Amino acid sequence: VEVKIEVVIPEKERSKEEMSPNGKASPLIYKVNGTARHYHLEEHQIASNPYHNPKDVVEASVCHVKDLENGQMREVDLGCGKALLIKESGEFHAVGHKCPHYGAPLVKGVLSKGRVRCPWHGACFNIGTGDIEDFPGLDSLPRFQVKIEKEKVYIRASKQALQTQRRTKMMAKCISLSNYNLSSTNVLIIGAGAAGLVCAETLRQEGFSDRIVMCTMDRHLPYDRPKLSKSMDSHPEQIALRPKEFFCTYDIEVLTEMQVAAVDVKSKIAVFKDGFKMEYNKLLIATGNTPKTLSCKGKEMENVFNIRTPEDANRVVKLATSKNVVIVGASFLGMEVAAYLAERAHSVSLVELEHVPFKKFFGERVGRAVMKMFENNRVKFYMQTEVSELREQEGKLKEVVLKSGKVLRADVCVVGVGAVPATGFLKQSGINIDSKGFIVVNKMMQTNIPGVFAAGDAVTFPLALRNNKKVNVPHWQMAHMHGRIAALNMLAHGTEISTVPYLWTAMFGKSIRYAGHGEGFDDVVIQGDLDELKFVAFYTKSDEVVAVASMNYDPIVSKVAEVLAAGRTIRKRDVDAVVFLSFRTGDMSWLTGKGT
């Protein structure tokens, strides 16, 4: 039997001109003062034939049908690119072999019940359609047709799809923008991070063809904010989630440098700081967090930074090169910044209230192992103390004084002491805000006000994994899923959130993966070698595994995430078996529930 795979080519790439699908002009763009320009747009059709050039199509025999057992995956070479061949329930499927998020090899991921999960960051893709079903990332996989002839497997694919390894799902376009009132929109999205963008894209993917407006205080279109502390010299265009042309093509209007000052939920009006008002039908609040600042003397001095924008990160790198850097707070941001600057700065000092980094999140033993890695890379820790004063000399930061009495030389200070939800503008709105400032939503990301949804770092929501306990999970992956669930329920789909939280951090070329929700864990079971930084840690509460973290043990975190996503429980006594079956035998029966 031969298996042939035919690539279903994604929608033809758009012209690089700044055009809307409805015409030759860009969509509505607001200036900072609230004035606007409006363009009359026309429709044009999208080409439907996926094979415009037969020379762009390749077909290759990749294996014999008996070469793969059910539940197996294989990365196959078609001569001009690779595909991922999968056999499940007796059927062959073929999709792109790289995760569109960061390019992880999916053959090393987890296959379960019709989807493959990325080994690095947990994104999930349907093996039949290639569609992304869990995040992070925005694009789906290209899907290829498979044919079986004479017991051989053939794949037919376009060279373009093999090279790009990504596919943007089909999206609707606005019916017409020419009839719109400038000060009204069907959907208003406050915030242009991952949650806001995924909401807008999901609406278009589901056929929504009315007006969508996003607004952001930032000067840039949506970008990959987690990269600001991991790759600090990245320019905005390098970390943009979508190019400018994308927003024009799908009529997603983005108002940059526009701040909402208040929301009138009775009149359905958002009031901007400059006085401009916009009516809406549906509202998504996805404003994220605001970094905390220091409260000591000298906190307003130059060269003291919160990393919030690409400009902040770029400026820190420039000023820190061959200079003395002090980082306040051993948070994810603080530790990632320290790791990035360790080889660039003359010295890097890190000040933290706790006695071990990441203690509350990863536990003391893992925290100490990470701390040792940093110390081996010339990062100096000052623990169980805090900053009492920032001193200047000739108008520039010169010293950081600690409450312990230690004085640190400092040319640059980066503050990473946490954040608070950016929800102050909602205090008088009637939207339910908890005591910590988080917006309270249900499983469908709905607030207590009809038509008003919230998503991302600024919300608390019921986490199915923890018996629907209301939690705040400020993870990049979770923000994506929040945005999708909000969009589906704006369209009355009645979809509830059930994803497993997944995060990662990268330091000195090594990554820690983490899945689940370990808040309040009472024990940590560690397999592997912490000194060698090759380990997996299971976080338990009352004998139940509630989270897992690993370093150099891929893809066990993705495997455990898949088990938790299936609603299965892992007990503390099962941990040895999980590790053994995953890495010694390759047996995945424990994941499907068929094994012992």
Side-chain angles (χ1 to χ4, degrees):
V1 179
E2 296 181 349
V3 178
K4 290 185 177 180
I5 298 179
E6 180 177 311
V7 177
V8 178
I9 302 177
E11 184 179 335
K12 187 177 180 182
E13 186 176 346
R14 300 294 179 187
S15 165
K16 296 301 181 183
E17 294 181 48
E18 193 170 309
M19 295 177 61
S20 162
N22 298 329
K24 296 182 179 180
S26 62
L28 183 65
I29 300 173
Y30 285 100
K31 297 178 181 178
V32 179
N33 63 7
T35 59
R37 297 173 60 197
H38 188 63
Y39 300 95
H40 294 272
L41 308 174
E42 300 175 355
E43 260 191 311
H44 66 73
Q45 297 296 319
I46 299 174
S48 59
N49 180 12
Y51 297 109
H52 298 285
N53 184 0
K55 294 182 180 180
D56 184 50
V57 178
V58 62
E59 183 175 292
S61 172
V62 293
C63 71
H64 191 279
V65 290
K66 293 183 179 180
D67 289 343
L68 262 69
E69 299 292 335
N70 280 325
Q72 287 189 327
M73 301 184 289
R74 176 179 292 184
E75 196 175 89
V76 294
D77 195 339
L78 277 66
C80 60
K82 295 181 179 180
L84 183 67
L85 181 63
I86 303 166
K87 186 177 182 182
E88 189 173 68
S89 301
E91 295 186 3
F92 285 91
H93 305 272
V95 293
H97 76 289
K98 287 184 177 181
C99 178
H101 180 227
Y102 279 177
L106 292 175
V107 71
K108 295 183 179 180
V110 181
L111 175 65
S112 176
K113 298 181 181 179
R115 69 181 191 176
V116 58
R117 183 184 285 268
C118 172
W120 290 357
H121 307 129
C124 297
F125 303 90
N126 185 294
I127 62 174
T129 64
D131 288 349
I132 187 168
E133 294 185 344
D134 203 342
F135 302 93
L138 298 171
D139 291 317
S140 297
L141 298 173
R143 174 176 61 88
F144 310 129
Q145 289 184 348
V146 179
K147 286 188 178 181
I148 301 175
E149 294 180 358
K150 299 179 181 179
E151 297 189 348
K152 289 186 179 179
V153 180
Y154 286 84
I155 296 178
R156 190 166 185 252
S158 81
K159 296 177 183 178
Q160 180 187 20
L162 288 170
Q163 291 168 359
T164 60
Q165 289 291 315
R166 64 181 64 235
R167 171 177 61 87
T168 301
K169 292 178 70 174
M170 186 70 71
M171 296 191 194
K173 301 165 292 182
C174 258
I175 296 173
S176 173
L177 289 180
S178 58
N179 298 324
Y180 289 142
N181 184 326
L182 300 185
S183 59
S184 68
T185 182
N186 196 300
V187 174
L188 175 62
I189 299 172
I190 306 176
L197 179 58
V198 171
C199 179
E201 289 199 21
T202 301
L203 288 170
R204 289 286 185 248
Q205 289 164 1
E206 295 296 316
F208 182 80
S209 59
D210 215 320
R211 190 178 182 197
I212 301 172
V213 175
M214 300 174 67
C215 62
T216 174
M217 294 170 58
D218 214 308
R219 62 164 57 174
H220 306 292
L221 293 173
Y223 56 86
D224 192 340
R225 194 178 297 277
K227 283 188 176 179
L228 293 183
S229 54
K230 297 179 178 73
S231 182
M232 298 180 67
D233 56 356
S234 298
H235 298 297
E237 60 274 11
Q238 294 174 313
I239 59 175
L241 294 175
R242 293 296 193 191
K244 186 187 302 183
E245 296 82 10
F246 178 91
F247 297 92
C248 300
T249 297
Y250 297 111
D251 292 328
I252 298 171
E253 304 169 44
V254 183
L255 316 183
T256 59
E257 298 181 278
M258 292 286 283
Q259 181 178 357
V260 174
V263 174
D264 183 339
V265 296
K266 292 183 179 180
S267 302
K268 292 189 173 184
I269 293 175
V271 182
F272 289 79
K273 191 174 181 180
D274 64 0
F276 180 75
K277 296 181 180 180
M278 178 169 282
E279 296 181 15
Y280 63 83
N281 182 31
K282 295 287 193 300
L283 175 67
L284 176 70
I285 303 167
T287 46
N289 287 333
T290 300
K292 291 181 181 178
T293 59
L294 297 177
S295 57
C296 62
K297 180 181 177 182
K299 64 178 182 178
E300 304 295 338
M301 195 181 303
E302 284 189 33
N303 294 5
V304 179
F305 295 89
N306 288 109
I307 305 296
R308 183 65 182 170
T309 68
E311 289 77 16
D312 293 335
N314 295 170
R315 182 76 173 149
V316 167
V317 172
K318 183 177 180 180
L319 293 173
T321 302
S322 301
K323 299 292 185 179
N324 300 301
V325 179
V326 173
I327 297 167
V328 185
S331 59
F332 282 101
L333 182 143
M335 295 289 278
E336 289 171 359
V337 169
Y340 190 84
L341 295 178
E343 293 184 358
R344 295 165 175 81
H346 177 264
S347 70
V348 176
S349 301
L350 202 149
V351 181
E352 167 61 34
L353 269 173
E354 292 284 349
H355 67 281
V356 174
F358 298 138
K359 180 184 176 183
K360 292 182 179 179
F361 201 87
F362 290 137
E364 183 165 343
R365 292 176 64 193
V366 173
R368 286 195 182 280
V370 173
M371 184 175 177
K372 183 178 178 181
M373 177 178 70
F374 273 71
E375 290 174 332
N376 290 339
N377 284 275
R378 300 189 314 110
V379 175
K380 178 69 174 177
F381 286 89
Y382 296 87
M383 308 302 283
Q384 294 181 284
T385 187
E386 54 188 319
V387 176
S388 63
E389 182 184 355
L390 300 176
R391 291 176 181 170
E392 65 175 330
Q393 182 176 319
E394 297 179 355
K396 294 183 179 180
L397 176 66
K398 195 63 179 178
E399 294 176 335
V400 174
V401 183
L402 307 182
K403 287 189 175 180
S404 63
K406 183 71 176 178
V407 179
L408 307 178
R409 294 178 60 188
D411 301 293
V412 182
C413 179
V414 177
V415 181
V417 292
V420 294
T423 57
F425 70 103
L426 298 173
K427 287 183 178 180
Q428 305 301 320
S429 67
I431 296 171
N432 190 7
I433 308 292
D434 72 10
S435 60
K436 294 182 179 179
F438 294 107
I439 305 169
V440 180
V441 297
N442 62 16
K443 289 183 179 182
M444 294 184 285
M445 310 314 296
Q446 297 169 325
T447 69
N448 60 308
I449 304 297
V452 178
F453 299 77
D457 293 0
V459 309
T460 60
F461 68 101
L463 183 63
L465 185 68
R466 298 297 296 271
N467 297 317
N468 296 319
K469 176 184 177 182
K470 285 286 182 74
V471 298
N472 170 251
V473 182
H475 302 170
W476 189 239
Q477 166 259 358
M478 190 59 73
H480 285 68
M481 184 57 79
H482 282 183
R484 175 167 176 77
I485 298 299
L488 293 175
N489 290 306
M490 285 181 180
L491 301 175
H493 285 201
T495 306
E496 296 184 350
I497 189 166
S498 62
T499 189
V500 174
Y502 201 117
L503 70 83
W504 68 97
T505 182
M507 302 163 294
F508 300 112
K510 299 184 182 297
S511 292
I512 300 179
R513 326 276 187 212
Y514 180 98
H517 187 70
E519 185 179 60
F521 66 87
D522 52 35
D523 195 13
V524 186
V525 180
I526 296 176
Q527 298 276 357
D529 192 328
L530 286 171
D531 291 333
E532 295 295 325
L533 297 176
K534 184 175 182 179
F535 64 88
V536 54
F538 293 87
Y539 300 86
T540 64
K541 188 172 185 179
S542 301
D543 193 48
E544 179 181 341
V545 174
V546 293
V548 60
S550 79
M551 183 180 284
N552 292 317
Y553 245 98
D554 292 340
I556 194 167
V557 169
S558 287
K559 289 184 178 181
V560 172
E562 198 63 22
V563 174
L564 298 177
R568 298 192 60 211
T569 299
I570 301 174
R571 299 294 179 185
K572 187 185 295 187
R573 63 180 179 271
D574 300 327
V575 166
D576 287 342
V578 168
V579 176
F580 178 81
L581 289 171
S582 296
F583 295 98
R584 305 302 192 276
T585 68
D587 183 0
M588 290 292 291
S589 61
W590 59 276
L591 190 151
T592 60
K594 297 177 182 177
T596 57

